Amino acid sequence: MSGNTITQSTVSQSTTSQSTASRPATSSLARAARELELKRGEFDLALHLGCIRTVPDEGGGGRRVHRAEIERVRSEDGFPEALRERVKAVGTTEGAALMGVTAARFTRFARLGLVVPVKFYLNRYRAVVWLYLAEELRQFGADEQNAPLLKGRTPEGLRDQLEAGLDLRPRNWRGRHMGFLLRQTEDPWAQAAIVASLLDPVQVAEIVRDPYERAYLNRFRPERAAHGAAPDTPAAHLVSRIMTAEDPDEISWLRADLGQALVEARALRPAPRPTPKAPPTPVSPLSEAAPAASRPREAALDDPAPSVEPVRPRRLLGWLRRRNP
């Protein structure tokens, strides 16, 4: 008996070791950030830009980073300074200095969509602070085609748009953010939920009329970052506005994308819905009497129910009475 126990234990340990060896080693995002010598904000931006690849956690706990991916990044030339430079984000003042222009001109570039913000936050005055990739700003300033914009007068058509209140910073950020989220999944329902997350719920309800499909989309809806704003505060409402499409053409584009994403999602699998309960099967009196009639005579005699009372031979008894008065 003891020999069998040892054998089973050895087999169990061997199976566990093989399973562990076959499963690729991964690290949590926090540990990967430490090993790559990045602050959490820098690490998140590196994920956003695709500098570091992640994989889904098989246990359903978010995303993780393969050990091989960590080693790949650490082996790149100039690590970690080169990586930090790739994910360096700057505000208006530093961005203007990188491009050799005034802060006012830089802001005009951003409002016109010539430079695209990569992230934002709210300062203590609840003002939106947009951040831009330093690497992209340097490339913009080094491009000879942009020289007239950097030193000359802003073209009249662009000035008219600015005077009309054009500000593409929120819209461009939303587009960039959506692209990042879409790259994280290949599931059509999750992709549809990402598009829906940028639309007002009323817009989503107009396109997704089935309540079960809307509920299914909500299961995949990406979690919105609070950006330091407490729930149900003016700051939280401001963040929500930035994350929700407002321009009519942007809304139209997102609605069309959501409709197409739903077509692909439905083709893959329908949204789950409750299984309808089967109605009770009606029982006829004849079907109830049949089992009773088939029971043994002893059971029938013991059963007080009138439906199983033995049939008396009335005609035979009457004939005998008449024969024997």
Side-chain angles (χ1 to χ4, degrees), residues 50-283:
C51 302
I52 302 169
R53 296 185 293 265
T54 62
V55 295
D57 185 355
E58 294 179 358
R63 305 199 57 94
R64 297 178 67 83
V65 183
H66 272 298
R67 298 296 313 167
E69 177 68 3
I70 294 174
E71 295 305 320
R72 181 192 69 80
V73 176
R74 290 180 61 89
S75 65
E76 291 180 343
D77 293 339
F79 175 84
E81 289 78 11
L83 177 59
R84 289 182 186 145
E85 195 61 31
R86 289 171 64 188
V87 299
K88 183 179 180 181
V90 298
T92 298
T93 302
E94 191 173 353
L98 286 173
M99 296 173 64
V101 298
T102 64
R105 185 180 288 258
F106 180 90
T107 300
R108 290 198 293 270
F109 289 164
R111 289 179 56 192
L112 290 167
L114 300 176
V115 293
V116 178
V118 73
K119 62 189 301 186
F120 73 90
Y121 68 91
L122 303 182
N123 64 15
R124 57 182 171 177
Y125 305 108
R126 291 208 303 268
V128 181
V129 179
W130 297 101
L131 299 176
Y132 308 82
L133 280 177
E135 186 175 29
E136 290 182 354
L137 300 183
R138 281 192 290 267
Q139 292 174 357
F140 185 94
D143 191 337
E144 294 182 358
Q145 295 182 357
N146 297 326
L149 292 172
L150 294 170
K151 298 182 180 179
R153 184 176 175 81
T154 303
E156 184 176 355
L158 298 181
R159 289 203 309 272
D160 293 341
Q161 294 181 50
L162 292 170
E163 291 173 2
L166 178 68
D167 188 351
L168 295 179
R169 288 174 294 184
R171 175 173 177 169
N172 285 340
W173 176 84
R174 285 191 293 268
R176 192 167 203 166
H177 183 65
M178 183 175 70
F180 161 66
L181 294 175
L182 289 175
R183 288 193 297 271
Q184 298 297 305
T185 180
E186 296 181 357
D187 185 277
W189 280 103
Q191 293 178 342
I194 290 168
V195 178
S197 70
L198 300 181
L199 286 167
D200 184 273
V202 175
Q203 300 279 348
V204 176
E206 290 178 358
I207 300 170
V208 192
R209 297 187 178 275
D210 187 331
Y212 296 109
E213 288 187 339
R214 289 200 301 272
Y216 199 42
L217 284 177
N218 285 334
R219 286 177 54 183
F220 293 97
R221 186 181 180 92
E223 194 172 329
R224 285 188 168 184
H227 292 271
D232 296 325
T233 61
H237 293 308
L238 176 57
V239 170
S240 180
R241 279 208 313 273
I242 292 174
M243 294 185 167
T244 305
E246 293 181 342
D247 302 330
D249 57 337
E250 182 188 6
I251 292 174
S252 176
W253 167 58
L254 288 172
R255 285 172 64 101
D257 271 11
L258 177 57
Q260 180 59 39
L262 283 173
V263 170
E264 297 174 2
R266 290 166 181 152
L268 177 68
R269 65 180 182 275
R273 57 191 67 239
T275 303
K277 294 183 179 180
T281 304
V283 180

